[in-house]
Amino acid sequence: MSAKKVIAVVGATGAQGGGLVRAILNDKTAEFAARAITRDASSPKAKELAKLGAEVVAADVDDVGSLTRAFAGAYGAFCVTFFWAHFSPEKEMAEAANMAEAAKQAGVKHVIWSTLEDTRKWIALSDNRMPTLQGKYKVPHYDGKGEANKIFLAKGVPTTLLNTSFYWDNFIYFGAGPKPGPDGVLALTLPMGDKPLPGIAAEDIGKCALGIFKAKGEYIGKSVGIAGEHLTGAQLAAGLTRALGREVRYNDVPPEVYRSFGFPGADDMGNMFQFKRDFNSAYVGARSLELSRRLNPELQTFDAWLQKNKSKIPLE
Ligand SMILES: NC(=O)c1ccc[n+]([C@@H]2O[C@H](COP(=O)([O-])OP(=O)(O)OC[C@H]3O[C@@H](n4cnc5c(N)ncnc54)[C@H](OP(=O)(O)O)[C@@H]3O)[C@@H](O)[C@H]2O)c1
């Protein structure tokens, strides 16, 4: 039997959870063991994690019984929901409640809940600067997570609320990267005006989470905000230009134009960027670069991330 403390990781085959599993397995102090939670232990990604040394356990965030079994005996649990799989804040809240209940039943000592702001604390539903979406949200994929914070707290689960940031990986996988304009010049389209956007290498979220678990309870009951850098659209475009060796312009559009782009969730994303632009000092101020680097000394800058990932950014 291993004497290592087990961290059960939801979303282990994905960006945030995968980063944490790899961080645990690569940690030279070997303080923790990684329990990778997946719906399908026989998938190639799950098998890859098993090969790296993770214990792979099947569970579904929609099934509290499966989560309770998967959390059994664990010291810690990393909890995350998957908004873009269903676009429903209510479902995210129900899934958060399942994870909080499972953590309570299993007696988990430290939960990290990967959350985001409930933007309605800054912008009331009656405020017409941005449309209300799905009847009662301003930024659905933020508000449900933020509202779910209180579920963990109400159940008395020892929790750290981890406020994450925009993944730079969205330039690869989410269609948010630079695209050629009518003149053929690449343009990075973001409705951020001249305000900085907290961003992070997705892989660094898990590394920061490991730093939180290693801090022996210091962050239980606290909110921690993380980012790799706070860069304006112009600075992001300049970084892309340097890395790609090809001009990338910042195309600053109004949020209402972004909302009209028509891809699924464009209205939610447009509201999100507007929230980050219009409440910029609060949003940026909640994500300390210094603390992020203390938790994760390998924290990447945008330039460092680009050097590793620029060839994966689709440009046409
Ligand atoms: N993109 C960004 O910039 C950004 C920034 C901050 C926060 N976020 C938030 O991050 C969350 C997604 O995290 P991520 O990017 O790490 O996800 P991801 O890379 O899309 O990974 C999702 C993983 O979750 C697992 N999963 C999906 N549904 C599940 C279920 N019902 N039960 C158990 N596991 C399930 C899947 O694993 P299996 O198939 O193996 O089960 C999948 O590999 C979203 O809620 C999003 O709002 C995103």
Side-chain angles (χ1 to χ4, degrees):
M1 277 294 281
S2 160
K4 292 181 194 174
K5 291 187 277 187
V6 171
I7 308 284
V9 183
V10 174
T13 57
Q16 296 192 28
L20 175 56
V21 170
R22 287 183 286 276
I24 293 169
L25 296 174
N26 291 331
D27 178 25
K28 291 196 177 50
T29 71
E31 182 178 353
F32 297 111
R35 183 178 292 165
I37 297 178
T38 171
R39 291 164 300 175
D40 178 8
S42 67
S43 75
K45 282 184 178 175
K47 283 187 178 156
E48 184 60 34
L49 293 176
K51 217 160 75 185
L52 291 174
E55 175 195 5
V56 175
V57 170
D60 192 310
V61 291
D62 295 319
D63 173 357
V64 68
S66 72
L67 282 172
T68 307
R69 288 188 293 279
F71 287 179
Y75 161 82
F78 180 81
C79 297
V80 57
T81 45
F82 313 101
F83 180 86
W84 303 107
H86 47 67
F87 292 76
S88 164
E90 282 82 9
K91 199 161 157 62
E92 279 195 295
M93 285 185 268
E95 292 170 343
N98 285 344
M99 290 186 275
E101 180 60 26
K104 188 176 177 166
Q105 295 293 329
V108 172
K109 304 282 186 297
H110 188 177
V111 165
I112 296 179
W113 162 231
S114 176
T115 187
L116 289 164
E117 282 84 349
D118 183 341
T119 65
R120 297 165 298 181
K121 290 185 187 156
W122 285 266
I123 183 154
L125 292 184
S126 57
D127 190 324
N128 290 326
R129 272 178 291 176
M130 63 176 73
T132 293
L133 302 176
Q134 300 191 31
K136 50 182 173 175
Y137 305 102
K138 285 300 190 187
V139 184
H141 78 285
Y142 270 54
D143 298 347
K145 292 182 180 71
E147 188 172 335
N149 292 351
K150 63 174 186 273
I151 300 174
F152 287 89
L153 306 179
K155 284 193 191 288
V157 176
T159 303
T160 302
L161 303 174
L162 180 63
N163 283 287
T164 60
S165 288
F166 178 88
Y167 313 166
W168 293 320
D169 308 67
N170 293 335
F171 296 149
I172 305 174
Y173 304 111
F174 208 75
K179 303 272 180 310
D183 58 359
V185 177
L186 291 171
L188 180 70
T189 300
L190 287 173
M192 285 297 294
D194 61 358
K195 296 291 194 285
L197 172 67
I200 194 165
E203 191 74 9
D204 277 332
I205 296 174
K207 290 184 179 180
C208 290
L210 176 60
I212 292 170
F213 282 125
K214 286 175 85 106
K216 310 211 181 306
E218 181 182 346
Y219 298 104
I220 288 176
K222 297 195 176 138
S223 288
V224 173
I226 53 170
E229 279 192 279
H230 304 309
L231 298 173
T232 61
Q235 288 172 320
L236 290 165
L240 286 159
T241 300
R242 282 193 300 275
L244 299 171
R246 187 172 158 186
E247 183 184 4
V248 179
R249 280 187 204 140
Y250 172 40
N251 179 32
D252 176 25
V253 294
E256 52 273 25
V257 170
Y258 199 95
R259 283 190 281 272
S260 74
F261 282 160
F263 62 85
D267 49 0
D268 189 332
M269 294 289 288
N271 281 10
M272 174 193 79
F273 285 121
Q274 186 176 350
F275 168 70
K276 293 180 187 185
R277 186 195 70 177
D278 293 354
F279 301 91
N280 195 256
S281 52
Y283 190 76
V284 170
R287 287 159 173 78
S288 159
L289 305 182
E290 194 266 320
L291 174 58
S292 306
R293 182 152 283 108
R294 205 159 4 110
L295 293 168
N296 166 22
E298 294 169 7
L299 189 75
Q300 294 176 68
T301 60
F302 185 49
D303 283 343
W305 178 85
L306 278 170
Q307 281 317 309
K308 279 198 217 148
N309 293 283
K310 62 184 174 186
S311 63
K312 296 187 221 155
I313 299 175
L315 298 177
E316 306 307 329

